[in-house]
Amino acid sequence: MSFSSELKDAICKLRPSGCCEFAECFGMLFFAREFNEDRIELRTEYEGVARLFSTLIKNCFGVHTRSTVAGKGVGKYKEVIGVSAICKRIFSFSEDYKGDFFKGYTAMRECCAGAFLRGTFLVCGSISNPNKEYHLKFVVKNEYQQSELVYFLLNLNLNPKTSKKGHLYCVYLKQSDQIEELLTRMDV
């Protein structure tokens, strides 16, 4: 099991509550494979991440996801909400929250910032074994997500770097003190 896998397993065992539950759910939603008014879909190679997403969606919105397991690798576990009315309700609420969240998180509770980072890491993050090298990255699907994540990290006094690989966008940290700070904020 990789260091990144072990970290994701540890994060999945944490149980956010209250305000942090929605912040963690929002981190997962915002960076999910699909998140729009018609469909919400999260794909992952980690069963624990799929279960946590399903639990958070149920707790935050009272909705059950449709779970499927197929094959191996990144898309092995899939959680889907395909009912348009439900997706519209979640998307609309999340759009309102996003405006407050990304523009007002300097006043956000520290615990919620950490919860959002946990959800984000579970969906699109990876980390190398610190005994070999220091590298933590988030791979997102568009430039908008990249810029919002960079802005968020800058406001936490971190100094992320960016790159583009093919059609994907990366946000990464390579300095050990920066990675340690991010992991501390995530409570892991």
Side-chain angles (χ1 to χ4, degrees):
M1 184 179 280
S2 73
F3 184 79
S4 196
S5 298
E6 290 174 9
L7 184 60
K8 288 185 180 193
D9 282 347
I11 291 170
C12 287
K13 290 176 183 164
L14 299 173
R15 290 291 173 237
S17 61
C19 57
C20 294
E21 194 167 48
F22 189 79
E24 190 165 320
C25 184
F26 181 66
M28 296 179 90
L29 282 168
F30 189 72
F31 295 101
R33 181 181 185 111
E34 282 188 66
F35 180 45
N36 56 54
E37 292 182 334
D38 298 316
R39 186 176 175 87
I40 297 169
E41 180 180 322
L42 176 114
R43 287 188 184 201
T44 181
E45 62 186 292
Y46 303 102
E47 182 180 8
V49 173
R51 270 196 318 263
L52 178 61
F53 180 73
S54 180
T55 299
L56 290 173
I57 290 291
K58 181 181 172 215
N59 292 351
C60 293
F61 299 103
V63 173
H64 294 277
T65 61
R66 186 178 73 240
S67 304
T68 58
V69 179
K72 295 181 179 181
V74 175
K76 181 177 179 181
Y77 298 97
K78 183 165 73 169
E79 299 293 325
V80 177
I81 302 169
V83 179
S84 190
I86 294 170
C87 292
K88 281 184 171 114
R89 181 170 59 96
I90 293 172
F91 187 77
S92 174
F93 183 82
S94 296
E95 281 295 295
D96 293 342
Y97 183 76
K98 179 177 71 176
D100 294 339
F101 189 82
F102 283 118
K103 303 308 176 219
Y105 53 70
T106 51
M108 177 197 316
R109 296 175 63 178
E110 284 287 316
C111 59
C112 290
F116 172 78
L117 287 170
R118 286 193 305 269
T120 301
F121 182 80
L122 289 172
V123 172
C124 64
S126 65
I127 187 170
S128 63
N129 185 330
N131 293 326
K132 297 179 181 175
E133 66 176 323
Y134 294 103
H135 191 85
L136 184 144
K137 75 177 174 182
F138 300 95
V139 179
V140 299
K141 62 185 178 229
N142 59 54
E143 194 171 11
Y144 173 71
Q145 288 178 326
Q146 182 187 50
S147 66
E148 290 292 335
L149 185 54
V150 165
Y151 185 67
F152 184 80
L153 294 172
L154 286 171
N155 276 284
L156 296 176
N157 296 316
L158 298 171
N159 189 25
K161 307 291 184 220
T162 62
S163 66
K164 184 176 183 212
K165 295 184 179 179
H167 66 282
L168 297 173
Y169 295 80
C170 298
V171 176
Y172 62 93
L173 299 169
K174 285 193 143 201
Q175 296 175 316
S176 62
D177 60 326
Q178 298 272 302
I179 294 169
E180 184 178 336
E181 174 64 23
L182 185 118
L183 294 174
T184 299
R185 287 181 179 275
M186 289 169 44
D187 290 326
V188 291

